[in-house]
């Protein structure tokens, strides 16, 4: 197997992910403070994207959706920064400063880079019975807007989504809501630093959420 | 064999030594009886005191299929009320939680105190002498709590809750007292699952020490491939009966898996969680020589305490089984925090993340297997479910707290469950024989 010198740029294999991030060293009080600040900023008034922003950010979100629908998890992993978070709150009726605070509340998913890797390795074991047969998804995103942010070097894009999920033997499930993507530049490449997925039915009971939103 | 499920109140022919009949999981008439007699006919878990901390707080829950309200009155006493207006039937409480001294029915505005009395009726002069306001209070449950766990029943003949819990009360003490003096807090969010399977498949699994090495192969394989041995749940591999885990009968349908003897250092054997590095450093700095003990309470207790018919205390979570129909069940996992003056809150920053681990990588595979059980059990021609593992191997013994115990893969918990189930289903929910 060829060893990549720049994984972030050139891509990951499952073998790379197995060894990529085995410690969890960046989720701390200041990171949680950043997420609380994000929640406030997501409530702002967005502006529709100009052509340049569409090329840079909307196309990346569309590409992310496509990779997930293709179950290309290793390539999906590559879209994220070194200190990323993939977060699906378990509460509705946002904004709610206390209940939306992941430092105080359990969530549907709160994956730092290491747990994101765990999830991919887990999905690839071939014995995750909740993914046998696997889920196939169709992600549709729309209503992209850019939000003002006080964080220098960061770009905030909010969008609405509908995801349909089909798994052999089960009815098709539909999920909707909004997503927030925070983009940063890392080694000259635009990466997703934080993604929050706010499901319309977040506080309800879910049948199977073992695929990626 | 011709199985008659409903026309009689005797179920002995469905529950044999070492096997039970599939219709117990698939028959809608049996399900309806269970919702009446099992849920409510025994002490049934309703809520935790920390969900309604202040005077006049309330939460809305279910007792079987019955909508109920659990209230704390102004003196702090708990009440269980049937959420059903005595006028013409509407539910009076339509919020999951809140604070109210009175509940006013939105339909014609009859209003009830949070202890269940009918307080006021609009245009009361429209009722004549036969109208007895004092007889029109809300339906009431018998309610008692043990160390914050609030239970309710319609059964007037049961002994008090603590007696009923028996050794489970002591096990709850051990679970709660891992950090002496700490208060257990809910209201930290829930992971809410739904499963296309009968509710008993979930209870059956909670003390099933046979399945982890197989049903959780994905979790075990992922951990081993990424982190090597020694981390989280490795005791589930190989011949578990040669390991140190045990299962026990806690009486009245309660069961217990004890994994504690397999855990040498809780923190070192914990599953990975986001924030581990930074918060371990802070806790170590703050706590000095008590750091190890503080880090250990991040991890689950190594105890599964299952209290018949709907409460499963597993790891740091409180799971509540909410049956919806014969083949649909909601399972709500309440996350918990530990709060004490001498315990840094960083412990909870880690506990929240750790309590996402098993719901992500463990429970979904079990739920998928429960659903496949339900599908298989619909087949008429293969009638029986096996419950006889270690029934006659001579491996059971009287263990700690005088509980009948066995090796961890023993299906003793299934047999314990069915004994209590049969006792409950053959009686009315208010006690006495039907
Ligand atoms: S149904 Fe409640 S007041 Fe009429
Ligand atoms: Fe399990």
């Amino acid at each position: 197997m060829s060893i990549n010198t720049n994984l972030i740029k050139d891509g990951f294999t499952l073998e790379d992910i197995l060894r990529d991030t085995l410690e969890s060293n960046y989720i701390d009080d200041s990171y949680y403070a950043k997420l609380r600040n994000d929640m406030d900023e997501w409530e702002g008034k967005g502006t529709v994207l100009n052509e340049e922003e569409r090329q840079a950010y909307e196309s990346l979100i569309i590409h992310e959706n496509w990779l997930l629908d293709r179950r290309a998890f290793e390539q999906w992993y590559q879209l994220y920064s070194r200190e990323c978070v993939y977060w699906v709150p378990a509460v509705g009726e946002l904004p709610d400063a206390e209940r939306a605070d992941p430092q105080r509340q359990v969530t549907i998913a709160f994956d730092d880079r290491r747990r994101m890797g765990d999830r991919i390795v887990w999905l690839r074991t071939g014995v995750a019975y909740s993914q046998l047969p696997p889920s196939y998804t169709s992600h549709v995103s729309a209503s992209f807007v850019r939000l003002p942010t006080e964080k220098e070097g960061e770009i905030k894009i909010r969008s609405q989504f509908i995801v349909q999920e089909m798994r052999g033997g089960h009815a098709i499930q539909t999920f909707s809501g909004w997503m927030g993507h925070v983009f940063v530049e890392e080694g000259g490449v635009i990466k997703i630093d934080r993604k929050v997925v706010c499901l319309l039915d977040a506080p309800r009971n879910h049948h199977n959420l073992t695929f990626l939103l | 064999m011709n199985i008659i499920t409903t026309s009689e109140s005797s179920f002995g022919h469905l529950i044999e030594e070492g096997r039970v009949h599939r219709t117990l999981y698939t028959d809608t008439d049996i399900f309806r009886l269970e919702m009446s007699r099992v849920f409510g006919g025994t002490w049934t878990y309703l809520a935790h005191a920390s969900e309604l901390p202040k005077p006049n707080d309330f939460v809305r829950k279910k007792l079987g299929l019955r909508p109920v309200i659990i209230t704390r009155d102004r003196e702090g006493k708990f009440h269980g009320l049937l959420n059903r207006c005595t006028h013409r039937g509407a539910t009076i409480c339509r919020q999951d939680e809140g604070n109210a001294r009175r509940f006013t029915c939105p339909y014609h505005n009859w209003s009830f105190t949070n202890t269940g009395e009918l307080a006021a009726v609009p245009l009361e002069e429209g009722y004549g002498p036969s109208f007895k306001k004092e007889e029109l209070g809300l339906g009431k449950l018998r309610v008692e709590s043990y160390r914050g766990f609030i239970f309710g029943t319609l059964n007037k003949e049961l002994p008090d809750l603590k007696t009923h819990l028996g050794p489970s009360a002591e096990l709850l003490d051990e679970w709660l007292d891992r950090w002496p003096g700490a208060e257990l807090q809910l209201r930290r969010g829930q992971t809410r699952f739904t499963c296309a399977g009968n509710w008993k498949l979930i209870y059956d699994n909670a003390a099933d020490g046979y399945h982890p090495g197989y049903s959780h192969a994905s979790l075990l394989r992922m951990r081993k491939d990424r982190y090597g041995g020694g981390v989280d749940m490795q005791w589930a591999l190989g011949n578990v009966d040669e390991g140190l885990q045990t299962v026990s009968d806690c009486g009245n349908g309660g069961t217990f898996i004890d994994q504690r003897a397999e855990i040498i250092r809780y923190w070192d054997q914990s599953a990975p969680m986001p924030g581990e590095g930074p918060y371990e450093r802070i806790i170590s700095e703050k706590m000095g020589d008590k750091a190890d003990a503080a880090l250990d309470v991040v991890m689950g207790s190594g105890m599964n305490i299952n209290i018949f018919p709907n409460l499963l205390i597993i790891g740091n979570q409180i799971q509540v089984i909410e049956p919806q129909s014969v083949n649909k069940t909601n399972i709500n996992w309440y996350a918990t925090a530990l709060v004490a003056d001498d315990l840094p809150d960083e412990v909870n920053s880690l506990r929240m993340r750790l309590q996402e681990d098993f719901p992500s990588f463990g429970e979904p595979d079990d739920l998928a297997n429960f659903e496949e059980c339900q599908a298989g059990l619909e087949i008429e021609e293969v009638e029986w479910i096996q419950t006889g593992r270690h029934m006659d191997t001579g491996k059971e013994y009287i263990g700690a707290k005088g509980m009948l115990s066995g090796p961890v893969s023993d299906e003793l918990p299934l047999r314990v469950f069915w004994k209590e189930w049969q006792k409950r289903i053959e009686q009315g929910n208010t006690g006495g024989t039907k």
Side-chain angles (χ1 to χ4, degrees), chain A residues 11 24 62 84 88 102 104 119 158 174 189 212:
Chain A
S24 178
I62 290 169
C84 59
V88 185
R104 291 185 51 82
R119 207 176 279 279
R158 194 183 67 204
T174 303
V189 183
L212 290 154

Side-chain angles (χ1 to χ4, degrees), chain A residues 17-30 32 77 90-91 98-99 102-122 125-131 167 170 202-208 210, chain B residues 185 187-196 214-219 221-223 225-227 272-279 281-282 330-333 335 345-346 348-349 352-357 360-362 364-365 367-369 371-372:
Chain A
I17 293 175
L18 272 173
R19 292 184 306 264
D20 177 56
T21 303
L22 295 175
E23 307 215 316
S24 178
N25 276 327
Y26 60 85
I27 302 293
D28 56 13
D29 283 359
S30 68
Y32 282 121
Y77 183 75
V91 293
E98 193 192 316
R99 290 181 318 121
Q103 193 169 5
R104 291 185 51 82
Q105 297 270 333
V106 83
T107 69
I108 292 169
F110 190 99
D111 295 9
D112 63 351
R113 188 172 179 84
R114 176 172 72 172
R115 188 181 267 177
M116 220 179 222
D118 284 356
R119 207 176 279 279
I120 293 169
V121 172
W122 178 80
T125 58
V127 287
Y129 302 109
S130 50
Q131 280 296 313
R167 213 185 131 230
H170 298 270
R204 291 207 174 170
N205 291 71
H206 288 105
H207 176 245
N208 184 334
T210 51
Chain B
Q185 284 186 2
R187 304 182 103 177
R188 295 300 185 118
Q190 299 170 41
T191 314
R192 298 169 75 108
F193 297 103
T194 195
C195 171
Y214 317 108
S215 189
H216 298 305
S218 65
L219 183 150
R221 196 172 295 179
M222 175 268 281
R223 289 275 204 265
D225 287 355
R226 283 205 98 190
Y227 305 98
M273 75 212 84
E276 206 172 311
Y279 289 114
R281 272 193 296 281
I282 297 174
N330 287 350
I331 311 108
N332 301 337
W333 292 40
D345 202 36
E346 283 80 4
N348 291 318
S349 302
M352 292 307 120
R353 295 293 79 81
L354 187 58
Q355 290 177 89
E356 291 155 352
D357 179 74
S360 299
F361 305 120
D365 289 345
L367 295 174
N369 281 327
E371 296 191 342
E372 298 303 323

Side-chain angles (χ1 to χ4, degrees), chain B residues 162-177:
Chain B
K162 175 131 194 244
T163 306
H164 172 86
L165 289 174
S168 300
E170 258 177 87
L171 292 170
L172 279 175
D173 292 344
E174 290 167 22
W175 186 77
L176 287 164
D177 295 337

